[in-house]
Amino acid sequence: MKRLAILGSTGSIGTQALEVVAAHPELFEVEILSAHSNAELLIEQALQFKPNAVVVTDEQKYIQVKEALSSSPVKVFAGSKSLEEVVQWDGVDMVLGAILGFAGLSSVLAAIDAGKHIALANKETLVVAGELVMERANKKGVRIIPVDSEHSAIFQCLVGEDINNIEKVILTASGGPFLGRKTNYLVNVKASHALQHPNWTMGAKISIDSATLMNKGLELIEAKWLFGLRNDQMDVVVHPQSIAHSFVQFIDGSMKAQMGLPDMKLPIQYALAWPLRINNNFKRLDFKDFPKLSFEQPDYKTFRNLVLAKEAMDKAGNAPCVLNAANEVVVHAFLQNKVGFLEMSEMIEKTMASVAFVEHPTLEDYQHSDAEARNYASEFVKKSQLSIY
Ligand code: NDP
Ligand code: MG
């Protein structure tokens, strides 16, 4: 029996993780659940899964959750400091990091410091502070099992392989809802359109990141740290059907791919059950439904976020942290129709040029760079024509 802390249980990944847990009561038990402000769903989940404790990080929701669970034995805590404490409890075997954005970093680091194995969905944790996170994990002997579908694919391709035999990894990208579109079209697209991903159903932020290809840029940085790769060992290929979830090419030229229907429950289940591979009743891939699998080069000229992310990765230090913070701010603004689709790249680029470079950041430096980048990006957002009118 594995006892899980599911951080971000009310999100797209969190709710799917709970479906996996519910389907395998003989393997999994929920020890901790956390949400930010969706008190109603957190309460519902607590009553169904009966965890030892829940944490609502938005402290204003504490009373509501506490009162609703007053006649149950579930302990209720509020605030992100509480989250950092409960993930370290003896009763927790594995932590699923499925909080969104920079906010997910501190609880994952706390869990690593307590020697808990991590199933990691929150890619921003590795984008922002990958070097530090992996260093601490290695020191503690903690395994970080990827949940992100591309990284789960690579992880699965590497089972039984010597990591030194990797020549290259190739991340697949669906291309998102605007594949093939050019800037004259993109200049006018709205959030409602950008949220309609052709293959995956995901949270709002990552859906926008998929539409801008920032998601793939973040995933390159995530892969670099997870698998200890050099920047020139990674590539991206657009694969609109999202069936091959990524490739590993080895030193003899042989390539492996992991394939399946685009369903996040599969990589979630793989990470939670690891090192086991367990059964399920998910819909199976039938090649009759996919007579053509195609692959093409990304359009770097139109989707500039992918280039910006690569630049941040090459620059290293606090550059990916700054890129991530600026991206979180502009995506949030785009979702509220306060900035245009193409403006997002411009604002990220300007933020990257504005924040001072730190070559070897500490955790405090990352926190500082994140805050500074958010300030700059917010100022750029305020100056957007869409924000003003
Ligand atoms: P959602 O927006 O659907 O869910 C985010 C979760 O995090 C919710 O439980 C939310 O709580 C919580 N949360 C939000 N802000 C905070 C905060 N400041 N402090 C604490 N908790 C917070 O996101 P997704 O599930 O889509 O994504 C989660 C992570 O997984 C992201 O890093 C994403 O990149 C990654 N990922 C997601 C995939 C997907 O298919 N969705 C695929 C691959 C990776 P509340 O509901 O109360 O607001
Ligand atoms: Mg992914």
Side-chain angles (χ1 to χ4, degrees):
M1 187 66 85
K2 219 183 242 183
R3 291 162 303 174
L4 304 173
I6 300 187
L7 313 186
S9 65
T10 49
S12 164
I13 294 290
T15 50
Q16 294 180 84
L18 285 174
E19 284 181 50
V20 169
V21 167
H24 292 279
E26 74 292 359
L27 291 178
F28 305 118
E29 212 170 67
V30 180
E31 180 74 8
I32 311 281
L33 292 173
S34 96
H36 186 57
S37 56
N38 190 345
E40 290 78 13
L41 184 53
L42 182 65
I43 292 162
E44 201 180 294
Q45 292 176 339
L47 294 171
Q48 182 184 348
F49 290 93
K50 304 184 174 51
N52 187 358
V54 299
V55 181
V56 56
T57 41
D58 178 351
E59 300 188 13
Q60 294 182 358
K61 298 291 171 104
Y62 173 73
I63 300 290
Q64 184 186 349
V65 179
K66 179 79 187 156
E67 279 176 2
L69 298 178
S70 59
S71 55
S72 85
V74 180
K75 303 178 187 79
V76 181
F77 300 95
S80 44
K81 282 279 164 251
S82 304
L83 195 57
E84 289 167 36
E85 280 168 31
V86 299
V87 294
Q88 301 196 325
W89 283 0
D90 287 345
V92 175
D93 297 318
M94 183 182 236
V95 173
L96 170 63
I99 286 175
L100 182 68
F102 183 88
L105 173 64
S106 60
S107 46
V108 167
L109 275 176
I112 291 172
D113 288 344
K116 310 295 183 189
H117 289 304
I118 310 286
L120 190 64
N122 175 261
K123 64 189 82 185
E124 295 91 344
T125 288
L126 288 175
V127 171
V128 169
E131 193 167 11
L132 188 105
V133 169
M134 295 313 287
E135 219 173 75
R136 288 206 196 175
N138 290 337
K139 211 190 272 170
K140 282 280 175 183
V142 161
R143 289 302 298 257
I144 299 192
I145 319 297
V147 169
D148 211 347
S149 59
E150 297 76 2
H151 306 74
S152 175
I154 296 165
F155 191 86
Q156 294 183 54
C157 289
L158 289 175
V159 172
E161 299 285 354
D162 182 341
I163 200 150
N164 296 311
N165 288 340
I166 302 175
E167 193 164 81
K168 206 174 184 184
V169 307
I170 300 164
L171 300 179
T172 51
S174 68
F178 302 136
L179 177 62
R181 299 293 190 177
K182 300 291 173 198
T183 50
N184 60 347
Y185 178 87
L186 294 173
V187 70
N188 291 319
V189 298
K190 293 279 173 279
S192 53
H193 189 179
L195 283 168
Q196 284 158 24
H197 196 280
N199 304 339
W200 300 93
T201 314
M202 308 181 284
K205 191 257 179 183
I206 185 175
S207 297
I208 303 303
D209 285 345
S210 299
T212 63
L213 291 203
M214 179 56 93
N215 185 47
K216 216 45 57 179
L218 300 179
E219 289 183 354
L220 283 172
I221 304 172
E222 182 185 12
K224 172 189 172 77
W225 295 117
L226 270 175
F227 304 110
L229 301 167
R230 295 187 316 271
N231 298 358
D232 65 356
Q233 275 182 301
M234 295 179 287
D235 216 341
V236 174
V237 68
V238 172
H239 167 45
Q241 300 81 18
S242 298
I243 295 299
H245 297 307
S246 279
F247 297 89
V248 181
Q249 181 181 307
F250 295 93
I251 50 171
D252 58 356
S254 178
M255 262 188 176
K256 281 188 183 176
Q258 182 265 339
M259 302 169 90
L261 289 172
D263 178 353
M264 281 309 295
K265 286 207 292 297
L266 189 48
I268 292 169
Q269 174 181 298
Y270 186 84
L272 295 184
W274 180 87
L276 302 178
R277 191 182 277 284
I278 59 174
N279 70 313
N280 60 39
N281 60 4
F282 307 159
K283 189 166 184 271
R284 273 25 179 182
L285 169 62
D286 183 340
F287 280 111
K288 287 199 288 299
D289 299 331
F290 295 89
K292 269 200 191 125
L293 296 183
S294 60
F295 301 92
E296 59 189 91
Q297 279 301 304
D299 177 356
Y300 290 101
K301 208 163 155 248
T302 307
F303 295 92
R304 294 194 38 249
N305 278 0
L306 185 50
V307 180
L308 293 174
K310 281 187 169 198
E311 279 173 18
M313 179 168 75
D314 289 339
K315 200 168 169 195
N318 65 339
C321 171
V322 171
L323 169 98
N324 176 70
N327 184 56
E328 287 191 30
V329 170
V330 299
V331 169
H332 185 70
F334 177 71
L335 284 167
Q336 298 174 320
N337 296 316
K338 286 186 177 164
V339 301
F341 188 85
L342 296 174
E343 268 186 310
M344 287 193 277
S345 307
E346 289 166 25
M347 291 172 180
I348 294 166
E349 189 166 22
K350 282 204 268 184
T351 306
M352 285 170 73
S354 305
V355 178
F357 181 61
V358 183
E359 196 171 356
H360 298 293
T362 60
L363 181 58
E364 290 69 35
D365 291 328
Y366 285 126
Q367 285 157 343
H368 187 255
S369 299
D370 175 80
E372 204 183 338
R374 278 170 203 272
N375 283 339
Y376 276 111
S378 304
E379 286 307 312
F380 297 134
V381 166
K382 277 189 213 148
K383 289 184 195 141
S384 162
Q385 291 298 317
L386 292 176
S387 279
I388 294 168
Y389 298 109

